[in-house]
Amino acid sequence: MHATEITRRTTAQRRRDTLDRLDAERDVWLSTAHPEHGPHQVPLWFLWDGRALWMSTGAASATVRNVRAEPRVRLALPDTFDVVLLQGEARAFAESEVPEEAAAAFADKYGWDPRAEESAFSYLRVEPTTVRAWRGVPEFRGRVIMRDGAWLE
């Protein structure tokens, strides 16, 4: 498909498409940074609960250490044509602290419950404050569809 064939979506349509992808997608790229060690990026499974993304990773991972030192994160869905970038602050939860409904929904989605593993896992929750979505150059203008935690119309 050529960029000239892309039909520019409205902000409302981009929001609907983004929410559909957040419900349907399996993987997200999570980017963190540590003040002393620099950037770190990993792909993780995620659950969208309608307001926030929930992910799980090893409790001793660089990702969890980074979030505790610097909670500002960026996330990206894995498609370079249908781009969705999210920004927010992550909060780490120990297995014993994660809300039951989030942990159960994550386990239901993937058929895997990190709480049942021998090694310790942490859950990360990110409520987006900024979301950008675009398909090609024709949609660069207006790509911000959430600002300061509020969806734009």
Side-chain angles (χ1 to χ4, degrees):
M1 176 179 278
H2 299 288
T4 57
E5 297 173 5
I6 297 170
T7 303
R8 192 176 188 306
R9 296 171 295 168
T10 64
T11 301
Q13 184 61 51
R14 288 183 205 205
R15 176 183 176 184
R16 283 190 298 275
D17 292 346
T18 297
L19 290 170
D20 287 347
R21 288 193 61 205
L22 289 169
D23 282 334
E25 294 276 349
R26 181 188 68 192
D27 305 311
V28 68
W29 284 93
L30 172 64
S31 298
T32 62
H34 189 278
E36 296 171 17
H37 306 292
H40 180 72
Q41 187 175 43
V42 294
L44 295 172
W45 286 347
F46 78 96
L47 169 75
W48 172 249
D49 71 4
R51 185 175 179 148
L53 292 91
W54 287 91
M55 297 149 283
S56 185
T57 190
S61 69
T63 301
V64 173
R65 285 193 310 272
N66 288 355
V67 163
R68 289 200 170 117
E70 171 53 80
R72 293 177 298 173
V73 299
R74 292 199 176 178
L75 304 107
L77 295 181
D79 187 334
T80 59
F81 173 74
D82 192 4
V83 176
V84 174
L85 301 175
L86 305 101
Q87 199 169 311
E89 289 195 7
R91 179 174 170 207
F93 292 82
E95 294 169 343
S96 61
E97 299 171 331
V98 67
E100 175 58 31
E101 105 180 16
F106 187 91
D108 286 347
K109 181 174 181 178
Y110 294 105
W112 172 69
D113 191 338
R115 298 171 298 173
E117 296 294 326
E118 283 188 32
S119 58
F121 277 75
S122 289
Y123 288 80
L124 302 173
R125 181 183 187 274
V126 177
E127 188 171 336
T129 55
T130 303
V131 177
R132 293 173 177 84
W134 73 89
R135 292 180 183 155
V137 173
E139 288 196 349
F140 275 4
R141 188 168 22 101
R143 65 185 169 258
V144 175
I145 60 172
M146 176 188 277
R147 183 176 287 121
D148 298 325
W151 293 102
L152 304 179
E153 295 299 321

